[in-house]
Amino acid sequence: ETGVTQTPRHLVMGMTNKKSLKCEQHLGHNAMYWYKQSAKKPLELMFVYSLEERVENNSVPSRFSPECPNSSHLFLHLHTLQPEDSALYLCASSQDSRSSYNEQFFGPGTRLTVL
Amino acid sequence: ELKVEQNPLFLSMQEGKNYTIYCNYSTTSDRLYWYRQDPGKSLESLFVLLSNGAVKQEGRLMASLDTKARLSTLHITAAVHDLSATYFCAVAISNQGGKLIFGQGTELSVKP
């Protein structure tokens, strides 16, 4: 595998389910990001991790719970979601979250549908 | 609050024509990115613009940056169908590390 991978690619879940999204980067980067892309809206930054430490949380509801066990893996745990949470969830990584001089590389995304 | 606005949001072009997508932003930025997204796919980096007056070209696409005007343009020359996609600009905020603010995206459709 190369670059940034995400699993699953598609997920349908009920409002009472618990599921997790997984992201893995094979680039040797130190920072990882979760974005939400809703239809017809710009990408919204959700979480930023640098060296496994959360450095930013953009007022995301607690039904989204991130986890970064090491610099190569990032999870987004989901529980009691709402239909409006249906979106494309994109993971990205960069060499360093502290500098804007580091390009972010994106994974293919997980298309989430909440019924 | 930083705003990044793209214009137009939808663009339908004929093959062979030229057009420009505009990206305006409201605060000081360290750098600006252009990304391409095909339907159902992730974002592919096209250009990174570092300084005022920067111009980069790749094939039929050319991007430029005017930091004084807080404006970037993505110019399409002699469009072909393969360029059909959604194009996003993203602005890196000065002094806020790697945080990117994205524009709404421009959905480009190139028709024969």
Side-chain angles (χ1 to χ4, degrees):
Chain A
E1 294 279 12
T2 58
V4 182
T5 59
Q6 290 185 241
T7 55
R9 295 294 308 278
H10 300 272
L11 178 62
V12 179
M13 58 187 289
M15 294 168 60
T16 58
N17 292 158
K18 291 184 179 181
K19 297 286 184 182
S20 296
L21 310 185
K22 179 183 175 183
C23 175
E24 184 173 359
Q25 59 96 0
H26 309 268
L27 301 169
H29 289 164
N30 293 318
M32 298 186 77
Y33 310 77
W34 279 118
Y35 287 88
K36 176 183 179 182
Q37 187 178 26
S38 303
K40 310 301 182 186
K41 288 187 177 180
L43 272 75
E44 301 171 58
L45 179 64
M46 300 175 72
F47 301 103
V48 180
Y49 275 83
S50 178
L51 295 172
E52 303 143 47
E53 178 183 344
R54 189 189 309 180
V55 297
E56 181 138 2
N57 174 356
N58 273 3
S59 302
V60 179
S62 59
R63 58 186 182 269
F64 295 91
S65 175
E67 178 190 2
C68 188
N70 55 61
S71 59
S72 298
H73 293 86
L74 184 65
F75 295 89
L76 188 62
H77 303 299
L78 316 171
H79 63 98
T80 59
L81 294 191
Q82 304 297 311
E84 61 264 28
D85 297 322
S86 299
L88 181 68
Y89 289 84
L90 290 164
C91 173
S93 72
S94 69
Q95 182 60 44
D96 183 343
S97 74
R98 293 165 296 177
S99 170
S100 60
Y101 294 89
N102 291 293
E103 184 175 357
Q104 292 183 24
F105 294 83
F106 286 81
T110 295
R111 173 69 62 187
L112 174 66
T113 302
V114 181
L115 301 177
Chain B
E1 180 188 350
L2 172 65
K3 290 185 178 180
V4 180
E5 295 185 343
Q6 288 182 233
N7 175 41
L9 300 183
F10 299 95
L11 179 55
S12 181
M13 301 175 63
Q14 281 193 313
E15 283 190 329
K17 299 292 187 182
N18 304 332
Y19 210 84
T20 300
I21 300 171
Y22 298 88
C23 174
N24 290 90
Y25 55 98
S26 61
T27 192
T28 306
S29 170
D30 287 336
R31 57 178 46 191
L32 187 142
Y33 298 84
W34 281 98
Y35 287 92
R36 169 182 172 148
Q37 186 178 36
D38 291 292
K41 301 281 183 71
S42 188
L43 277 73
E44 173 192 353
S45 178
L46 295 174
F47 300 107
V48 181
L49 302 171
L50 306 179
S51 59
N52 190 42
V55 177
K56 289 195 174 180
Q57 183 164 5
E58 181 73 33
R60 300 174 187 276
L61 301 178
M62 183 173 71
S64 65
L65 179 62
D66 181 344
T67 57
K68 294 181 181 178
R70 296 178 181 170
L71 170 69
S72 179
T73 61
L74 180 66
H75 186 74
I76 303 156
T77 302
V80 293
H81 178 70
D82 286 351
L83 291 179
S84 298
T86 299
Y87 293 85
F88 292 91
C89 64
V91 174
I93 305 174
S94 297
N95 302 319
Q96 290 197 29
K99 185 172 182 177
L100 294 180
I101 304 297
F102 282 80
Q104 313 97 307
T106 297
E107 188 175 334
L108 172 65
S109 175
V110 181
K111 302 185 184 303

